[in-house]
Amino acid sequence: MAVTQPTRTPMTPGWVVVLLSLLLGVQPLATDLYLPALPSITAAFDAPMAKVQATLSALLLAFGAAQLVWGPVSDRLGRRPVLLAGLGAYTLASVGSALAGSVEQLIVWRIVQGAAMGAAVMGARAIVRDLYPPVEGARMMSKGLSGLGLFACLSGPLGGWLTEHAGWRAALAALAVFGAAALALVAWRFRETLPARNPRALQPAEMLRIWGRIVRHPTFWAWALLASATYGGLFTFLATSSFVFINVLGHSKTGYGLLMLSMSAVYIAGTFLCRWLIPRVGLRRTVAWAAGLSLGGGTLAGVLALAGLHTTWAIMGPFYLFILAHGVHQPCGQSGAVSPFPQAAGAASALAGFIMMVTAFLMGLWLGQRMSPGADTGVYPLTNGLWFWGALIALVAWTLVQRHGEVRNPPHGQPDHRAA
C-alpha cells in the first residue's frame, strides 16, 4: 500500500502535554462548566427535566458518533487539519449555544458542539499512539489527563459563579472563549504526528477491513470496556449531581461548583497515582488495584444511601474513592484500546470513544426517566448508579484485562501483527 510521508517538525514533550491537555480539556469544559446551569436552564425555558437532560445526552451521543468519521479522516488527511476543523466548529457551536432561544435550539447546537469536540479528543488519543509505544503512551496520556483535570477543577466553580452572577448564557459563552484560544494555539504550535497517511482510509472496503480488524481484537475490547465502564460512573455523577446537590441537598450553585473542584482535584491525584504505579507493577496490576477502589467507593455510596444517610459527605466521600480510581483507569483504558493499532490509531481511537459515548447516552436516557418530574428518587439514581458501575469496572478489570490486556511494544512505527 502506497503511503505519503508528511513533513514533520517534532514537538517537545512539554508541548505535547500542553496540547493534549487542551484537546482533552474540551470535553470536561463542555459538560462540567454548564452543569451548575442545568436547573437555571430548566427554569428559563420552562422545559421538562428530561428535555434539558437531553442537552447533555445529545452532546455525548454526537461526540461518540462523530469520532467514527473523524478517525478515518485523520488517518487519511492527518491529525492537524482534523483538529483545526473540529476546534473551529466547537467555537462556533459554543456561540450558538449561548444565543439559543429555546431548549430545542440549545440541543441542536450542543449536537454540533459534541460532533466538533469528537475531533479534538479522538485526535489526542491518536497523537499519543503516533508518538509513543503502549506503556509510555499510558504514562503520557495520564499527563494529558492531569491537564484535563486542571480544566475540570476550574469548570465547576467558574460555571457556578458565572451562572449565579451573570446567568447561564455566560457559562456557555465561556466555552467559545476556550475554543478560540485552543484553536489559535493548535494552529501555532501543533506539528503533524501521523507517521504515514493511508490514502485508502476513506474507501468503504478499506474502512470495513480496518473496523473488522479492530473489533476482532480482544485487547481492544478489554481496555475499551474498562474505559467505558469507568466513564459510565463519571457520567452518572455528572448527569445527576447538580440536581441532587442543588435541589435535594440545598447547595448554592457556587457551593456545588466547589464540590466539583474537589472532585477534579482527587481525579488529578488519580492520574499521578497511575504514573507512579505503572512502572512498579505494570498496566494490568495497576488497573486491578484501582478496580478495588472503584468497587469499594460505589458499594459504600450505595450502602450509605440505603441506610438513610442522604448527606453531602455520605455521597462525596465514597465518590472520591471512585474518582481516584477513574484517574487510573482512563489513561490506561484509552491508550490500551488504541495500542495494538499503530497504523490505524485514528480508527481505533474513534471506535473506543464511540463505545464510551454510547454507554453515557444510554445511561442518560435511563437517568432522564428516573429523574422525571414527580419521581421522588432523591439521591438513589446517583448512588445506585455508582454502585452498578463500580461492580462492572471490577468485573472487567479482574477478568478481561487480566486475560487480554497485555500490550506489546512493537518497534516504533511498525505494526503489531496480532492486530492483522
Side-chain angles (χ1 to χ4, degrees):
M1 179 178 65
V3 294
T4 301
Q5 291 287 349
T7 300
R8 294 191 295 163
T9 301
M11 295 177 288
T12 65
W15 272 112
V16 172
V17 171
V18 169
L19 292 168
L20 285 176
S21 299
L22 285 173
L23 297 173
L24 294 167
V26 300
Q27 184 179 355
L29 283 165
T31 54
D32 298 11
L33 192 73
Y34 103 124
L35 286 179
L38 283 178
S40 297
I41 294 172
T42 303
F45 290 130
D46 192 23
M49 188 181 299
K51 184 171 283 189
V52 175
Q53 196 79 42
T55 63
L56 180 59
S57 298
L59 170 106
L60 294 175
L61 183 62
F63 172 50
Q67 291 181 66
L68 296 177
V69 177
W70 290 121
V73 170
S74 75
D75 286 338
R76 171 64 183 88
L77 301 179
R79 315 303 182 206
R80 180 179 169 84
V82 165
L83 294 178
L84 293 175
L87 289 172
Y90 180 90
T91 303
L92 176 64
S94 299
V95 174
S97 297
L99 299 176
S102 67
V103 69
E104 289 80 11
Q105 290 181 22
L106 181 57
I107 290 172
V108 170
W109 281 115
R110 294 286 280 177
I111 289 172
V112 176
Q113 189 175 51
M117 76 182 189
V121 178
M122 178 285 306
R125 290 193 294 262
I127 288 164
V128 169
R129 188 62 188 97
D130 291 341
L131 297 177
Y132 305 102
V135 174
E136 187 181 352
R139 298 184 69 187
M140 182 60 70
M141 179 62 78
S142 77
K143 292 180 181 180
L145 290 173
S146 294
L148 175 152
L150 290 175
F151 287 119
C153 277
L154 296 174
S155 297
L158 179 60
W161 187 87
L162 287 172
T163 301
E164 205 150 32
H165 294 89
W168 63 268
R169 293 183 188 276
L172 294 182
L175 299 177
V177 176
F178 175 83
L183 176 62
L185 193 59
V186 168
W188 175 43
R189 294 298 308 185
F190 182 77
R191 302 292 179 265
E192 184 59 64
T193 61
L194 182 63
R197 296 188 180 100
N198 180 357
R200 298 171 54 201
L202 297 179
Q203 296 177 9
E206 178 73 0
M207 291 176 67
L208 289 175
R209 185 185 70 83
I210 292 172
W211 294 127
R213 183 156 52 96
I214 294 169
V215 300
R216 291 194 301 269
H217 204 294
T219 300
F220 169 81
W221 281 109
W223 292 110
L225 290 176
L226 179 71
S228 296
T230 188
Y231 188 78
L234 175 64
F235 177 80
T236 299
F237 182 86
L238 296 178
T240 60
S241 59
S242 62
F243 295 101
V244 168
F245 289 112
I246 295 173
N247 293 350
V248 177
L249 299 180
H251 286 270
S252 68
K253 295 179 179 66
T254 301
Y256 168 70
L258 293 174
L259 288 176
M260 295 293 288
L261 185 152
S262 70
M263 175 201 78
S264 299
V266 175
Y267 169 73
I268 292 172
T271 64
F272 278 88
L273 177 63
C274 178
R275 294 200 292 277
W276 185 83
L277 283 174
I278 286 174
R280 289 166 174 80
V281 301
L283 279 174
R284 288 182 293 174
R285 290 182 65 189
T286 291
V287 299
W289 289 11
L293 296 177
S294 304
L295 179 60
T299 302
L300 187 58
V303 169
L304 290 177
L306 290 177
L309 294 175
H310 299 177
T311 66
T312 298
W313 297 111
I315 297 172
M316 289 303 298
F319 185 66
Y320 288 150
L321 295 177
F322 188 98
I323 201 66
L324 182 71
H326 183 74
V328 175
H329 294 313
Q330 273 299 298
C332 294
Q334 290 191 32
S335 62
V338 178
S339 61
F341 311 100
Q343 294 183 325
S349 169
L351 187 57
F354 176 73
I355 294 169
M356 287 173 62
M357 292 310 111
V358 168
T359 300
F361 178 75
L362 294 176
M363 192 65 186
L365 290 180
W366 182 81
L367 290 171
Q369 294 299 316
R370 293 288 296 171
M371 301 184 70
S372 59
D376 186 17
T377 55
V379 305
Y380 289 112
L382 193 166
T383 55
N384 288 343
L386 290 179
W387 198 349
F388 167 78
W389 290 114
L392 187 59
I393 290 166
L395 179 64
V396 173
W398 294 342
T399 58
L400 292 179
V401 170
Q402 300 310 305
R403 183 173 181 179
H404 301 295
E406 182 179 1
V407 180
R408 296 189 302 171
N409 287 324
H412 188 57
Q414 299 300 315
D416 181 343
H417 296 292
R418 292 187 306 165

